[in-house]
Amino acid sequence: MTSIRKIVASMCLAGNFVLQMADPAYAHAHLNAEIPAADSTGTAPQSLTLGFTEAVVVKLTGVVVTDPKGNVIETGNVSLSDDGKTLTIPLKIDLVPGRYSVTWHALAVDGHKTHGVYGFTVTNR
């Protein structure tokens, strides 16, 4: 009976270790809000807003916006919110109707990198 208890105790410790190791994944700066929203349809924005779950390093975080033909849209200087979690990216041109793609990469202040792509559609200016 004692050996069974040792095995169960070892399994519990191992399970606890695995759960503790999973916690750092929550420290990554995941995109959790965007304006315009992913897969939305609406009027042309003057800027993009990307909100992350963790603070990011603005100099090592970037966004590339491409138009329906795949051309890169010129953006202005990115600003970062006081809490370090929200980027505002001004667009230097008026967007024409069509589907746009936003490719982003982020470096959280704790050193974890994340990236992704989403799109939105402009119906009019």
Side-chain angles (χ1 to χ4, degrees):
M1 192 69 156
T2 304
S3 62
I4 292 175
R5 286 185 180 167
K6 286 182 182 178
I7 292 171
V8 170
S10 295
M11 290 174 63
C12 288
L13 286 173
N16 190 28
F17 176 76
V18 168
L19 289 174
Q20 287 178 357
M21 292 304 292
D23 282 344
Y26 293 111
H28 290 57
H30 295 286
L31 185 66
N32 69 348
E34 62 279 330
I35 300 172
D39 299 320
S40 66
T41 299
T43 60
Q46 298 296 308
S47 63
L48 303 179
T49 303
L50 277 64
F52 294 92
T53 56
E54 300 291 328
V56 298
V57 179
V58 71
K59 290 183 180 182
L60 298 173
T61 298
V63 176
V64 176
V65 182
T66 52
D67 69 13
K69 294 180 181 177
N71 299 312
V72 174
I73 301 298
E74 190 175 354
T75 59
N77 292 330
V78 175
S79 62
L80 186 64
S81 64
D82 290 340
D83 67 359
K85 295 181 180 182
T86 304
L87 296 175
T88 301
I89 304 99
L91 302 173
K92 288 195 167 188
I93 65 166
D94 292 332
L95 302 184
V96 298
R99 178 119 178 116
Y100 290 81
S101 179
V102 179
T103 304
W104 61 270
H105 65 274
L107 178 68
V109 294
D110 65 5
H112 291 113
K113 297 176 186 178
T114 54
H115 59 89
V117 178
Y118 75 92
F120 64 92
T121 301
V122 172
T123 54
N124 56 33
R125 296 178 195 193

